[in-house]
Amino acid sequence: MTEFLGYRCSLCRAEYPPVEVFYTCPKDGGNLDVVLDIDQIRQRFEPADITSRTEPSIWRYLPLLPVRNPEFEDTPLSAVGWTPVYRPRQLSERLGAKRLWIKDESRNPTASFKDRASALLIARAREIRASTIVTASTGNAGAALAGMAAAAGMRAVIFAPRTAPPAKVAQLLVYGAQVILVDGSYDQAFDLTIQAAREFGWYCRNTGYNPFTAEGKKTAAYEIWEGLILPYLPEREQLTVFVSVGDGNIISGIHKGFKDLQALGWLDKIPRLIGVQAEGSAAVFNAFAAGRDYIEPVHADTIADSISVDLPRDGVRAVRAAVETGGAYLKVSDQQILNAIRDLGSAGIFAEPAGAAAYAGYLEALSTGLVSSEDPVLVLNTGNGLKDVRAAMRSVPEAPVIEPGFDALIRYLDQQKGSLHG
Ligand SMILES: *Cc1c(COP(=O)(O)O)cnc(C)c1O
Ligand SMILES: [Zn+2]
């Protein structure tokens, strides 16, 4: 059974009943937090009841989610989350970092963090008998919705900017979604989606609009708690988590997950959350740096398409995630992002630009002293490098082409030796 009580506005604190379709606060447009009956959950469960569950996916946290058992067994929906956490030894040695972990979200079924939100949305949609789900997306949210909807046999409509990387558009089409490319920005696609949903009665998944996306994304916090904090940091030592930020819904969702655990009495200290934005798309960073509690839009321009956002739709909660946890915001250049793709690649982790941005932020934080090499740190890679091969190729030198003979090979190797020593 779900312990879903309703919604609370993150701006004016107004509360709303758990009616079926509800998006942002009717009074002020604020993002809504899903309110769970924490007392009820605390009475019925202990941490061991959760950590002893066997599902290797987000559904092991069903008692803390606002949906009933969706019965997704034996489909890609049952493979969302429970992503691996690595200790990249060479990277750590190079940096002198004692305790660095990387959680690889590219291992989700459609290869990005967004599957967590889309899977939960599908469960919710099924519960409220919505038959068509629509979303605006820079690519990954759409791919996640398209893939998860396909797995559940539901219809998805995706609005994406025409400039989305081809691999992401291919995913949308192959998963059989109805795809509409908008000759404009993500932000324009976003507004169009909301209007279409209203007119046609579609259920709208938009990030930073539908309150359930953060409930899916919070499961990453539960995994970090279960997989890292409980076994490795039981001495109340504070973990620092690096998250790349576009709309700000991932970092808000992760913050919510840790707050749930703390409210349950299962977690002492919420990790310090550090949001990383691209220099060319830094609206949340700007608000944090200016100490503002509202967001001013920018004209976004960055290689990291998944975090390229003019007006972050979950910006206020995203600022709070850093403020309330003693965290911070950082911005990184496209060149730093490309370097991070190469560095992560050297550890066997292939990240798309937005995924690598968090690692670039970690390097920046090390160099400015925001974190030390002694601090326990977890960096999220939110998306797979195969999503944007063109960007990946820009992060590394081109491969040589030689004649197909041994002589040519020797000539090439000699030349290289020369260039190495010269
Ligand atoms: C969507 C996305 C992000 C940013 O998430 P927001 O909720 O928009 O802040 C980061 N990385 C990847 C790969 C994404 O797809
Ligand atoms: Zn409100």
Side-chain angles (χ1 to χ4, degrees):
M1 244 325 274
T2 161
E3 310 294 350
F4 170 38
L5 296 179
Y7 310 92
R8 185 185 301 117
C9 175
S10 61
L11 296 183
C12 70
R13 318 292 296 166
E15 296 196 3
Y16 300 97
V19 293
E20 298 198 334
V21 178
F22 213 69
Y23 298 114
T24 50
C25 178
K27 293 182 193 159
D28 52 21
N31 292 110
L32 299 177
D33 291 318
V34 167
V35 181
L36 299 176
D37 191 343
I38 292 287
D39 290 336
Q40 206 32 264
I41 297 170
R42 196 193 297 113
Q43 276 169 25
R44 292 178 42 194
F45 298 96
E46 293 181 13
D49 297 322
I50 305 294
T51 58
S52 62
R53 290 173 67 109
T54 53
E55 299 92 328
S57 72
I58 62 172
W59 306 113
R60 67 194 284 107
Y61 304 111
L62 200 56
L64 310 181
L65 299 178
V67 289
R68 286 186 285 272
N69 189 348
E71 292 172 2
F72 286 150
E73 290 82 6
D74 308 318
T75 74
L77 281 153
S78 69
V80 175
W82 205 240
T83 52
V85 175
Y86 307 129
R87 299 201 65 171
R89 297 219 161 54
Q90 293 93 322
L91 291 183
S92 302
E93 274 167 31
R94 207 183 303 159
L95 300 168
K98 305 286 185 302
R99 286 172 298 172
L100 169 63
W101 289 277
I102 297 182
K103 187 167 175 63
D104 191 7
E105 291 293 312
S106 76
R107 292 284 302 272
N108 277 298
T110 79
S112 89
F113 192 102
K114 297 290 195 294
D115 284 343
R116 294 180 185 273
S118 289
L120 196 90
L121 251 290
I122 294 287
R124 174 68 180 166
R126 192 180 264 181
E127 235 172 81
I128 65 174
R129 297 196 177 76
S131 56
T132 299
I133 314 176
V134 62
T135 197
S137 171
T138 61
N140 285 338
L145 179 61
M148 297 300 104
M154 294 171 82
R155 175 167 177 250
V157 182
I158 317 291
F159 290 78
R162 176 186 180 179
T163 51
K168 296 183 183 180
V169 177
Q171 277 187 296
L172 302 176
L173 294 166
V174 169
Y175 289 134
Q178 182 172 354
V179 182
I180 299 166
L181 297 180
V182 178
D183 191 7
S185 66
Y186 165 62
D187 295 79
Q188 290 170 310
F190 194 102
D191 294 334
L192 186 56
T193 306
I194 289 175
Q195 199 181 348
R198 202 177 290 140
E199 289 294 320
F200 307 136
W202 295 338
Y203 189 47
C204 183
R205 177 225 177 274
N206 278 11
T207 295
Y209 182 65
N210 189 313
F212 281 82
T213 59
E215 290 296 301
K217 288 170 174 180
K218 76 179 185 180
T219 55
Y222 297 163
E223 289 174 26
I224 293 168
W225 165 74
E226 184 179 352
L228 201 63
I229 296 176
L230 288 183
Y232 297 112
L233 302 169
E235 301 298 321
R236 301 177 174 224
E237 222 180 340
Q238 194 180 23
L239 179 69
T240 300
V241 178
F242 285 82
V243 188
S244 57
V245 172
D247 273 316
N249 192 240
I250 292 182
I251 197 168
S252 300
I254 288 175
H255 189 207
K256 171 72 158 38
F258 286 127
K259 283 191 290 188
D260 286 352
L261 295 170
Q262 196 178 48
L264 286 163
W266 298 355
L267 173 69
D268 283 327
K269 198 173 273 173
I270 292 184
R272 191 152 73 120
L273 299 179
I274 300 195
V276 183
Q277 292 213 282
E279 211 167 65
S281 175
V284 183
F285 168 90
N286 293 342
F288 176 87
R292 273 194 270 112
D293 62 356
Y294 60 95
I295 304 293
E296 281 176 2
V298 296
H299 287 290
D301 180 19
T302 167
I303 192 172
D305 62 291
S306 301
I307 51 173
S308 183
V309 178
D310 293 349
L311 177 62
R313 306 291 170 152
D314 208 346
V316 174
R317 288 194 302 190
V319 169
R320 281 186 199 157
V323 170
E324 291 177 11
T325 62
Y329 270 84
L330 295 172
K331 55 181 178 179
V332 292
S333 67
D334 282 1
Q335 190 56 53
Q336 283 176 291
I337 290 173
L338 290 172
N339 294 346
I341 292 178
R342 187 200 54 209
D343 288 357
L344 288 172
S346 76
I349 301 166
F350 194 14
E352 69 167 276
Y359 186 74
Y362 168 59
L363 296 184
E364 177 75 17
L366 266 183
S367 75
T368 62
L370 183 63
V371 293
S372 87
S373 53
E374 308 288 323
D375 291 336
V377 167
L378 178 125
V379 178
L380 276 179
N381 168 29
T382 42
N384 195 297
L386 290 172
K387 297 253 190 187
D388 189 353
V389 172
R390 219 169 23 180
M393 294 298 270
R394 285 180 56 187
S395 73
V396 285
E398 263 182 67
V401 179
I402 63 165
E403 299 291 318
F406 194 67
D407 288 352
L409 175 61
I410 295 296
R411 249 195 327 277
Y412 167 70
L413 291 176
D414 281 347
Q415 215 176 33
Q416 244 221 334
K417 222 188 280 168
S419 72
L420 282 180
H421 294 273

